[in-house]
Amino acid sequence: MDSHSQVLERLRTGFRSGITLPLEFRRTQLTKLLALVKDNEEQIVKALHQDLAKPKFESILSEVEIVTNDLHHAISNVATWIQPEYVPKNLATKLDDCFVRREPLGVVLIIGPWNYPLQLLILPLVGAIAAGNCAVIKPSEVSSATDCLVAELIPKYLSQDCYAVVRGGAEETKALLQNRFDHIFYTGSQAVARSVVQAASVHLTPVTLELGGKCPCFIYGRINIQAAAHRLVWAKYFNAGQSCVAPDYVLCTKATRDALVPALTTVLEEFYGKEPQKSPDLSRIVSARHFTRLMKLLEKTKGKVVIGGQSDEHDKYIAPTVLVDVEEDDVLMGEEIFGPILPILTVEELEKSIELVNRKEKPLALYVFSDESSVVKTTMENTSSGGFCSNDGIVHMTLPGLPFGGVGASGWGSYHGRWGFETFSHRRACMLRGWALERLNGLRYPPYSDDKLKWLRWTTSANSTCSLM
């Protein structure tokens, strides 16, 4: 196995050769990546079931389809994305070509998480390839079956001169980060993100962070409670709640809560049966360590369990759980839950709920369920989050045209579709000048005078903007 330095040198040699620059190369690699996913769908589903007991339905929807859709989008649009972007000119630059040129950054590092171990590793890679970069890909060792499969498949389908998979645990990742990259894209926890940023700072390497946080769900005003319960249960317990954009807690009035809890009970039985542990449609907690963390939260909370609460350590199973009478300072409100546990906080006024959310770090996603447009508008205009969705959960991140990313503690930067291409591109300001209008240029040469300054200010001002491109 090559050392990290050997891998990086191979990829840097590949990048310096210019092989990644032509449009045809980028399209070819994206097409091969698409083939990788399509050819190996059955193996991907099997690996995800080994790692997380993911149902085939959820694996196809959240790992396969979202990746293939983004790949189709990139293949269809990359020719447009790489075109120069011409900008408005003033009189002084009338005869110049002035444009923004997208250029690849170089050799980038992509570190993936365990909860969506294919999607959250491959989607950044789509942007990196489309932008013309070489990439080192580091899957999560926690989702070991998918880690192994990715390491096996990537070299078979993509150019080994430009793309490489590096495997290992925390120590291997720490060692990998000692190397200089041209960009680092990390998806995972805030705690590890701090170490990534610290390592990147040594080389002044720019970083994209896709993190998480506590994503609130406001339920206020008139509401179709049954529809709300269906969408909330689906978004919360998809992948056993191990989604960075899952609703983390609910804010609503007592009256809404009293109507919501029976509706949630009905929907959970409809989705997973009377014995959810026997349902083939419910994932498991990824590891014993994460199981223990979640159970400690349930042990320490002062909230009241009204649905679920059962668990099986051997099976890494925690029943879909709902709690009420949860206060703002409860242990469940101190960190991102990242599991099938849903606290409901009762706050009688929407404005007070907004104040509560705004006292916390900005979340990766924020949801509001209401039939009243004024409630949706008030919530959207008075909060800040990476993404926003009304009357549903998670689905906003499936559209390639929308940027996906956090703000503040929930992440830096965004990707999906063109946004991923932009993340892995340098926007180079270009001005191509000839030798014409030298008399006009003479206004800026010494000896200086007030008349020269007056004319120069006019030719470079916004008022002298020229429509010629």
Side-chain angles (χ1 to χ4, degrees):
M1 183 180 294
D2 291 344
S3 68
H4 295 162
S5 59
Q6 289 173 319
V7 170
L8 278 167
E9 184 55 36
R10 184 176 82 243
L11 268 56
R12 290 205 180 281
T13 300
F15 181 75
R16 286 194 293 264
S17 75
I19 190 175
T20 65
L21 297 179
L23 171 62
E24 192 55 38
F25 177 86
R26 305 185 197 193
R27 276 183 169 160
T28 297
Q29 296 302 305
L30 291 171
T31 302
K32 287 183 177 180
L33 190 55
L34 181 62
L36 181 156
V37 178
K38 288 187 172 182
D39 294 349
N40 300 281
E41 182 176 298
E42 187 176 332
Q43 287 179 266
I44 290 168
V45 169
K46 182 179 178 182
L48 291 167
H49 192 269
Q50 285 181 248
D51 289 330
L52 292 141
K54 275 196 184 187
K56 178 180 178 180
F57 188 96
E58 291 190 3
S59 293
I60 296 296
L61 194 64
S62 66
E63 303 271 11
V64 174
E65 282 301 303
I66 194 170
V67 168
T68 57
N69 287 343
D70 204 73
L71 277 162
H72 282 299
H73 184 75
I75 291 167
S76 298
N77 291 282
V78 64
T80 301
W81 296 344
I82 66 174
Q83 295 303 311
E85 178 187 349
Y86 288 88
V87 300
K89 298 181 288 188
N90 54 34
L91 185 59
T93 57
K94 178 179 178 180
L95 299 182
D96 303 326
D97 285 333
C98 304
F99 56 90
V100 179
R101 172 183 164 89
R102 267 75 177 180
E103 297 181 345
L105 299 174
V107 178
V108 303
L109 171 62
I110 299 171
I111 304 175
W114 53 260
N115 59 325
Y116 292 90
L118 187 78
Q119 180 212 136
L120 298 180
L121 187 71
I122 300 301
L123 285 186
L125 180 60
V126 174
I129 294 173
N133 298 278
C134 292
V136 174
I137 307 145
K138 170 60 181 69
S140 172
E141 75 284 359
V142 177
S143 46
S144 57
T146 308
D147 174 15
C148 183
L149 183 61
V150 168
E152 175 191 340
L153 295 179
I154 289 289
K156 290 182 179 179
Y157 283 82
L158 300 186
S159 168
Q160 294 188 43
D161 292 329
C162 302
Y163 313 103
V165 179
V166 172
R167 302 179 64 194
E171 289 304 313
E172 287 80 4
T173 303
K174 185 177 180 181
L176 182 62
L177 285 166
Q178 301 308 306
N179 295 279
R180 183 181 70 81
F181 292 91
D182 297 296
H183 194 92
I184 297 174
F185 190 108
Y186 169 77
T187 303
S189 70
Q190 294 177 356
V192 176
R194 292 183 175 90
S195 299
V196 172
V197 171
Q198 188 172 20
S201 68
V202 174
H203 302 290
L204 296 179
T205 300
V207 178
T208 298
L209 301 176
E210 297 296 339
L211 308 177
K214 298 185 72 63
C215 302
C217 180
F218 296 82
I219 306 179
Y220 283 90
R222 295 188 312 276
I223 185 74
N224 181 333
I225 205 71
Q226 287 300 321
H230 277 86
R231 297 184 186 190
L232 179 59
V233 167
W234 179 81
K236 175 61 184 179
Y237 301 106
F238 193 96
N239 199 31
Q242 297 167 116
S243 305
C244 55
V245 289
D248 191 89
Y249 60 100
V250 169
L251 296 156
C252 63
T253 65
K254 184 178 183 299
T256 297
R257 182 201 70 185
D258 292 344
L260 181 63
V261 170
L264 293 175
T265 302
T266 300
V267 172
L268 280 166
E269 185 174 329
E270 177 187 331
F271 283 10
Y272 307 116
K274 291 183 180 296
E275 298 181 75
Q277 189 172 3
K278 295 181 179 179
S279 171
D281 299 326
L282 195 61
S283 298
R284 294 298 187 262
I285 306 307
V286 71
S287 68
R289 182 170 69 87
H290 288 278
F291 176 90
T292 301
R293 179 187 66 82
L294 290 167
M295 291 309 299
K296 284 182 178 179
L297 290 177
L298 283 177
E299 290 169 8
K300 294 179 181 179
T301 180
K302 295 179 181 178
K304 177 184 176 184
V305 175
V306 290
I307 301 174
Q310 302 86 0
S311 63
D312 182 336
E313 184 175 4
H314 177 74
D315 192 26
K316 291 181 288 190
Y317 165 79
I318 297 177
T321 298
V322 178
L323 300 96
V324 298
D325 300 333
V326 177
E327 300 295 332
E328 184 181 355
D329 60 354
D330 191 88
V331 65
L332 289 172
M333 297 300 293
E335 63 180 76
E336 184 179 7
I337 294 172
F338 224 67
I341 300 167
L342 181 65
I344 300 177
L345 283 68
T346 52
V347 182
E348 293 303 313
E349 298 175 15
L350 174 62
E351 290 73 17
K352 295 294 182 183
S353 285
I354 290 173
E355 290 176 7
L356 184 154
V357 169
N358 287 343
R359 285 195 290 271
K360 298 181 176 297
E361 297 284 4
K362 295 176 181 179
L364 183 58
L366 187 148
Y367 306 111
V368 56
F369 287 13
S370 181
D371 291 338
E372 299 179 23
S373 59
S374 61
V375 170
V376 174
K377 184 178 179 182
T378 297
T379 306
M380 182 170 62
E381 292 182 349
N382 291 279
T383 57
S384 178
S385 60
F388 179 91
C389 184
S390 66
N391 297 322
D392 214 333
I394 297 182
V395 294
H396 66 286
M397 68 167 291
T398 64
L399 191 64
L402 288 175
F404 177 68
V407 57
S410 60
W412 304 347
S414 59
Y415 68 123
H416 287 194
R418 174 152 193 167
W419 305 95
F421 169 83
E422 295 288 355
T423 289
F424 288 104
S425 296
H426 167 58
R427 290 175 287 279
R428 189 178 187 184
C430 298
M431 179 183 288
L432 306 184
R433 309 205 82 183
W435 299 105
L437 299 181
E438 183 59 18
R439 185 174 181 181
L440 182 61
N441 287 323
L443 293 173
R444 58 190 166 100
Y445 301 151
Y448 301 135
S449 69
D450 288 343
D451 282 344
K452 281 186 175 182
L453 182 60
K454 182 180 70 173
W455 281 103
L456 191 61
R457 292 179 72 175
W458 180 75
T459 61
T460 58
S461 71
N463 293 332
S464 70
T465 299
C466 178
S467 61
L468 294 176
M469 305 299 284

